[in-house]
Amino acid sequence: QSSGSSGINAEYGEEEEELNAKERAKKTIEQLQKGDNSISQEEEMSITGSNARFMIMQKLAMKDKESSVMILKNMVSFEDVDDELENEVREECSKYGSVKKVVVYQEAQSDAEDAEVVVKLFVQFHKTSECEVAVKRLHGRWFGGRAIDASLYDEQKFLRDDLSG
């Protein structure tokens, strides 16, 4: 019987360790979000347990999600691209805020001559809050028989002309 109870204690110990790791992760996340840590404090932080690491990675990823750039996919096909598209997108997106820039990007899916071309529309707003509203309103909306896939786009990538996303 004693071997059975030590097994329970071992399981309980693992659960307790995982709870402690989650608590430490929450504190670490709070510290990172405040942004008032010194470099030495950040170096001292310890992250243990796969759940704790995962939680921190999620929070850090969300921290960078603030962007004034939106990407619209599946809005138009390659055949629909014309000289008016940029102005039409600007006009539509102006309903949600002040549009700074619109980029129509046509991306071949391979090097083959007959490769499919995907059209991505990038819209940069003057404010991140305007961009967030536009994403919420446009994502899933139907346009020309297509469901629009709208999401935030990494602003730093956009500013570097990296439209690969």
Side-chain angles (χ1 to χ4, degrees):
Q1 260 190 357
S2 63
S3 65
S5 65
S6 66
I8 291 171
N9 286 340
E11 285 178 33
Y12 178 74
E14 288 172 15
E15 287 178 21
E16 189 174 311
E17 179 61 33
E18 191 62 38
L19 285 173
N20 289 339
K22 285 181 181 178
E23 287 302 314
R24 286 193 304 272
K26 284 182 184 177
K27 286 181 184 175
T28 302
I29 290 167
E30 288 168 7
Q31 289 175 333
L32 289 169
Q33 286 177 329
K34 286 181 187 173
D36 57 0
N37 296 330
S38 68
I39 292 174
S40 62
Q41 283 175 317
E42 289 183 13
E43 287 174 348
E44 304 279 322
M45 287 183 193
S46 68
I47 304 166
T48 58
S50 59
N51 284 346
R53 280 191 297 275
F54 180 72
M55 285 173 56
I56 289 178
M57 293 308 291
Q58 275 188 314
K59 289 290 182 181
L60 288 173
M62 292 308 290
K63 187 177 180 183
D64 295 332
K65 288 289 185 196
E66 200 170 90
S67 175
S68 66
V69 181
M70 168 178 67
I71 181 172
L72 299 168
K73 298 179 189 173
N74 198 44
M75 187 167 168
V76 296
S77 68
F78 172 71
E79 294 80 20
D80 296 328
V81 175
D82 60 22
D83 295 338
E84 295 299 313
L85 182 60
E86 184 179 324
N87 288 330
E88 290 169 357
V89 170
R90 179 181 298 278
E91 188 178 315
E92 180 63 29
C93 290
S94 292
K95 295 175 183 176
Y96 310 108
S98 178
V99 175
K100 190 174 188 177
K101 185 176 183 180
V102 174
V103 175
V104 177
Y105 181 65
Q106 300 175 49
E107 181 180 72
Q109 299 303 292
S110 74
D111 291 333
E113 264 187 55
D114 60 346
E116 178 189 8
V117 175
V118 172
V119 179
K120 299 175 185 177
L121 303 163
F122 294 86
V123 182
Q124 182 180 28
F125 289 85
H126 284 278
K127 296 180 183 175
T128 58
S129 58
E130 297 169 334
C131 186
E132 290 168 2
V133 169
V135 168
K136 287 178 186 168
R137 297 269 163 65
L138 291 172
H139 184 72
R141 190 170 132 193
W142 288 86
F143 180 83
R146 299 165 157 259
I148 300 171
D149 177 6
S151 59
L152 294 177
Y153 190 74
D154 184 311
E155 193 163 354
Q156 294 308 311
K157 279 185 169 182
F158 181 78
L159 294 173
R160 290 190 310 265
D161 291 325
D162 178 353
L163 306 179
S164 62

